[in-house]
Amino acid sequence: MNEPDPTATVAASLDAQVRAADLDRWLSSRLVADARARADLITLYAFEAELMAIPTRVTQPLLAEMRYTWWAEQLDGVFAGIPRKGHPVLEALTDLVARHGLDRAPFDALIEAHIGRVHGEPHDLDAFYVGPMQTAVHVLAGPGHADKVVEAGRGRGLAQVGRTEEARAARPEANAALKSLPAEAFPAVASAALTTPDQPEPLKRLRLLWATVRGRV
């Protein structure tokens, strides 16, 4: 009897984690044809899922901040190529960072934004949505495309915080910038096309597919 492939088992676990935590971007990742690139996106989203889960596990802001600080400290190892052994997200993220030469700044900004949120500060749309989208685009298409997805990232952020009409109004500017985005990078921004969070999954799939075919959110 063949033994299970540990790498495949970890990948499947991260995939399930992201599907449960962030259906919109999980569905978008299905539009990446290359399995390795799709797994890379899932690694990024699994890291974010870990951060998003913290406020659901602890009720005190100080305890949440301590957990976020732990993640910030773990990034030292991730960006030094020395992950915390036995932690699937950190191990996968370390490999991803090394292969793609990712910048640490968006990761630190995301953690700081989460700390701000548990202390009652407003959503930092750029830290929560633009930076992660830029990193995802880098993973799929390489560097040099960050400026093309700023408005798409902000539009997604507006939709996520309930400012739906503003998100829809932002689409023309976002689409103008996305015209020069490589097609292989579009799944990283496709979730910006979803401005109705409670839409049924089949409709979301169709919307994402149509957006990807057109290259417009």
Side-chain angles (χ1 to χ4, degrees), residues 4 14 38 40 42 50 60 71 73 78 83 100 123 130 147-148 152 155 157 159 164 173 176 182 203 206 215:
L14 297 187
R38 186 166 61 250
D40 285 347
I42 289 297
E50 292 281 352
Q60 297 297 321
W71 277 96
E73 292 169 349
V78 166
H100 291 279
H123 269 86
V130 177
D147 59 328
K148 301 169 187 175
T164 305
E173 189 173 355
L203 288 180
L206 287 173

Side-chain angles (χ1 to χ4, degrees), residues 135-159:
T135 301
V137 164
H138 181 146
V139 165
L140 294 184
H145 307 291
D147 59 328
K148 301 169 187 175
V149 302
V150 171
E151 296 308 320
R154 288 176 182 159
R156 171 174 157 76
L158 289 168

Side-chain angles (χ1 to χ4, degrees), residues 59-141:
T59 57
Q60 297 297 321
L62 183 58
L63 293 176
E65 182 173 351
M66 290 172 63
R67 295 198 180 193
Y68 285 122
T69 299
W70 182 87
W71 277 96
E73 292 169 349
Q74 298 310 308
L75 289 181
D76 291 341
V78 166
F79 281 86
I82 311 170
R84 188 179 186 89
K85 292 298 183 183
H87 196 296
V89 173
L90 290 171
E91 290 186 347
L93 189 62
T94 302
D95 173 67
L96 178 66
V97 163
R99 283 189 290 107
H100 291 279
L102 298 181
D103 182 11
R104 178 171 173 169
F107 294 88
D108 286 330
L110 180 61
I111 291 174
E112 285 300 316
H114 273 289
I115 292 173
R117 283 296 296 146
V118 298
H119 288 293
E121 295 177 10
H123 269 86
D124 182 338
L125 294 184
D126 282 2
F128 275 115
Y129 302 103
V130 177
M133 187 177 285
Q134 290 172 325
T135 301
V137 164
H138 181 146
V139 165
L140 294 184

